[in-house]
Amino acid sequence: MKFRLDRLLTELVSTISRKQAKEAIRGGRVRIDGVVVTDPERKTDPEEETVSLDGKGLTYAKFRYYLLNKPAGVLSATRDKKKETVLDLIPGIDHEKFFPVGRLDIDTEGLLLITNDGALAHELLSPKKHVEKEYFALCKGVVTEEMLAPLAEGVDLGDFVTAPATFRIAGSEGENTGIFLTITEGKFHQVKRMVALIGSEILALRRVRMGGLTIPEGLAAGEFTELSSEELTARLHAGKNE
Ligand code: URA
């Protein structure tokens, strides 16, 4: 498929805007098959020609994967008139093609994948695939193993019965209790509803793992990193049966 060079550059370099791409091309920083091209409208097929910026070859990938450490206060949506969305945190991303894989509540933080790969999203979200989603939840008051025990069996939330979950108490934080809870579904407010059912309340919620994918050390809330399809697949599978 052929693209205009300035448009292609924004696809290849996620952090570059269309304006910056045009400037880079006009400034002689972009080459096609080793030859400087200064016309931003020049058409090119990235599967046939090699585009480089400042001497660095850029690889074209049909599907791209961003691992975002979602901060609280940002909506899991592609666009919104009033509130900042998770896609707004990735400069230059195409809001028509990319989407978050599932939703985290506005006040939930943590691991969120953003991609244009619909098949992968389906795979990760399908309840039949049992991909684990692990959360750290700060729960109000004292929460004990006995209180959590019913979650390991599955509980009736009214509209559905949860699959067995696993949990671990992380420790107390003042008067409250931190727990790790792993579920394989992703129903609306599921973790909050599960914790309410056992007689507590979520004060803060963070997703820490999806399959074998965790938040890389040093990736602060609001920051993202791009993963190749190979890295993503390897890391997702690394978590299976753990
Ligand atoms: N469960 C919830 O209640 N909220 C989330 O954001 C994710 C899981």
Side-chain angles (χ1 to χ4, degrees), residues 188-220:
F188 184 63
H189 291 338
Q190 182 167 340
V191 174
K192 289 178 183 160
R193 290 159 70 196
M194 288 165 81
V195 167
L197 193 90
I198 59 135
S200 178
E201 185 190 320
I202 298 262
L203 299 175
L205 188 60
R206 184 168 75 244
R207 180 152 67 193
V208 295
R209 183 171 66 83
M210 211 167 161
L213 209 57
T214 51
I215 300 170
E217 211 166 296
L219 192 75

Side-chain angles (χ1 to χ4, degrees), residues 103-109 135 183 185-194 202 205 207:
R103 283 166 192 270
L104 291 177
D105 296 337
I106 190 157
D107 53 354
T108 302
E109 300 181 359
Y135 293 85
I183 60 175
E185 308 122 315
K187 294 275 197 312
F188 184 63
H189 291 338
Q190 182 167 340
V191 174
K192 289 178 183 160
R193 290 159 70 196
M194 288 165 81
I202 298 262
L205 188 60
R207 180 152 67 193

Side-chain angles (χ1 to χ4, degrees), residues 83-163:
K83 294 210 162 63
E84 190 176 28
T85 72
V86 288
L87 286 199
D88 294 331
L89 297 174
I90 303 183
I93 200 164
D94 187 337
H95 287 241
E96 302 299 327
K97 294 191 184 139
F98 285 79
F99 53 87
V101 179
R103 283 166 192 270
L104 291 177
D105 296 337
I106 190 157
D107 53 354
T108 302
E109 300 181 359
L111 194 157
L112 188 64
L113 268 181
I114 291 173
T115 186
N116 56 346
D117 183 347
L120 176 104
H122 177 74
E123 173 123 340
L124 288 176
L125 296 177
S126 164
K128 288 194 198 112
K129 302 277 177 177
H130 302 292
V131 176
E132 292 185 348
K133 288 119 195 152
E134 182 173 9
Y135 293 85
F136 173 79
L138 183 63
C139 303
K140 194 170 180 180
V142 175
V143 172
T144 62
E145 300 260 343
E146 291 70 34
M147 286 166 73
L148 290 164
L151 303 183
E153 305 292 324
V155 288
D156 191 346
L157 291 181
D159 52 342
F160 83 111
V161 177
T162 63

Side-chain angles (χ1 to χ4, degrees), residues 33-48:
D33 287 343
V35 178
V36 172
V37 174
T38 53
D39 177 8
E41 292 185 28
R42 154 81 146 82
K43 292 265 169 31
T44 176
D45 181 342
E47 283 170 310
E48 301 204 339

